């Protein structure tokens, strides 16, 4: 995870196979960083680069959806949320996440995702 405080950007790169437990502690780490933004929490941008993941177990995909849908997480939502994805399966799973976060954008290219996040 990289944090660009000047741009209020959290950049998370995930690789390999991730269990629901893995995603739980990653989520806690991301939320801890968001809280360090103080009054700017919620004004930040988040990039999840999951281009290194080819398959996400269904239980893990559901854990991500459940985490974003939890009411206690809503105040910590990023102003802009982007995912970098390279497989059709992960893209389909993220479309389910879009039911909870309709404002998320999915990209195949990391540079395009960063450009979108930083524009405004």
């Amino acid at each position: 995870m990289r944090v660009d405080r000047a741009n209020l950007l959290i950049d998370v790169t995930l690789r390999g196979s991730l269990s629901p437990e893995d995603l739980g502690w990653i989520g806690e780490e991301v939320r801890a960083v968001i809280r360090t933004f103080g009054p700017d929490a919620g004004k930040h941008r988040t990039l999840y680069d999951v281009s290194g993941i080819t398959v996400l177990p269904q239980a893990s995909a559901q854990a991500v959806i459940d985490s974003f849908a939890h009411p206690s997480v809503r105040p910590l939502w990023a102003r802009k949320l982007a995912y970098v994805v390279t497989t059709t399966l992960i893209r389909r799973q993220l479309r389910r996440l879009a039911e909870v976060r309709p404002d998320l954008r999915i990209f195949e290219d990391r540079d395009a995702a960063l450009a979108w996040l930083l524009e405004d």
Side-chain angles (χ1 to χ4, degrees):
M1 179 175 2
R2 291 174 298 283
V3 180
D4 175 350
R5 293 197 178 279
N7 288 305
L8 295 174
L9 174 68
I10 300 171
D11 182 346
V12 181
T13 301
L14 302 173
R15 303 274 185 250
S17 179
L18 299 170
S19 70
E21 294 78 19
D22 294 330
L23 292 169
W25 67 258
I26 291 166
E28 285 303 315
E29 287 188 15
V30 170
R31 288 185 286 277
V33 169
I34 293 167
R35 288 181 185 101
T36 69
F37 289 139
D40 288 330
K43 297 176 187 174
H44 66 286
R45 305 159 172 99
T46 304
L47 171 66
Y48 287 99
D49 183 342
V50 296
S51 60
I53 299 175
T54 55
V55 176
L56 187 62
Q58 187 57 37
S60 297
Q62 190 61 49
V64 171
I65 293 166
D66 292 346
S67 176
F68 274 102
H70 197 281
S72 68
V73 175
R74 177 61 185 107
L76 301 176
W77 276 8
R79 177 169 62 92
K80 293 177 98 174
L81 174 63
Y83 274 83
V84 179
V85 178
T86 56
T87 68
T88 302
L89 177 59
I90 304 290
R91 186 179 317 286
R92 270 192 235 134
Q93 290 172 318
L94 285 174
R95 286 193 186 116
R96 289 185 50 225
L97 178 57
E99 294 171 13
V100 176
R101 284 294 307 260
D103 55 338
L104 82 83
R105 296 274 309 263
I106 301 170
F107 296 85
E108 291 182 17
D109 179 76
R110 181 179 174 80
D111 291 337
L114 282 169
W116 177 76
L117 283 168
L118 297 174
E119 73 183 17
D120 57 91

